[in-house]
Amino acid sequence: MAYAAFFVVAAMAVVSALGLVLRRNAIHGALFLIVNLGSIAVLYQTLGAEFLAWAQVIVYAGAIMVLFVFAIMVLIPGKEETGPDPRRPWRLLALPAGALLFVQLIFVVGRDRGGGGADVSPAGGGVEAIAGLLFTRYLFPFELTSVLLLAAMVGVLLLARRRV
Amino acid sequence: MMVPESYYVGLSAVLFTIGVIGVVIRRNPLVMFMSIELMLNAANLALVAFGRRVGNPDGQAVVFFVMAVAAAEVAVGLAIIVTIFRLRRRLSVDDLSLMRW
């Protein structure tokens, strides 16, 4: 049962990722990416990370994808990927290179046959466990995150300002 | 009856590879950006899977930071893309050779 659920959700994630990469239309790509992020949120839930599953839905599928769709609407893309591609041979080189990367990754992952983690009691992934870490051991990085977000906001305002 | 972590890490490898290929073969900087998000998510999935194997929630805290950094990165990156579009009126990465000597 757990296996069936995993394979269904994993197939959804892979298919939507392929849709993002292969479809020409950027809006379709954004919608495929939302499906992909949602299925990864489901996988977080099956891994016992409830807090991250909800954060994924709110932060990624909510905030970040709204930003993407908004940028796509503002820029009205779609014309730059029609027409002849003078660098097509170089781009097609990505397929063997990607296959090589995939083989390497699988080689690294497949080397550890340990797999003994299944009987470890799953660490609580609820808000309580995460908050306990964020406000004790990772307190300084957590505060730095707020500085980073503030700096990003100021930078975006500066970049998007109209030149006078 | 839990799915072993190696399945999750394998799926994360697949998604990461698709993201790399997407960055290379597409010409639209917005889609390249979305492929980068795909790679970040693949890495996050691997982190959560490893965290379950080790049995403590530290991996999930790291994923939380990755999400915060990704949000900042997307905001700044999209602002840069919009600024470039305003200056050049085109949106193909092949035209953006300004910083190449």
Side-chain angles (χ1 to χ4, degrees), chain B residues 4 10-11 13 19 21 24 31 45-46 50 60 62-64 66 69 78 83 85 96 98:
Chain B
L11 173 66
I21 292 176
V24 178
V31 180
L45 185 63
F50 287 139
Q60 300 182 21
V62 175
V63 171
F64 176 80
V66 173
V69 174
L78 287 178
T83 309
F85 181 74
L96 303 178
L98 197 66

Side-chain angles (χ1 to χ4, degrees), chain A residues 159-161 163, chain B residues 78-88:
Chain A
L159 278 171
R161 185 190 51 166
R163 302 288 184 272
Chain B
L78 287 178
I80 290 174
I81 291 176
V82 169
T83 309
I84 289 173
F85 181 74
R86 213 179 263 164
L87 287 175
R88 310 281 298 261

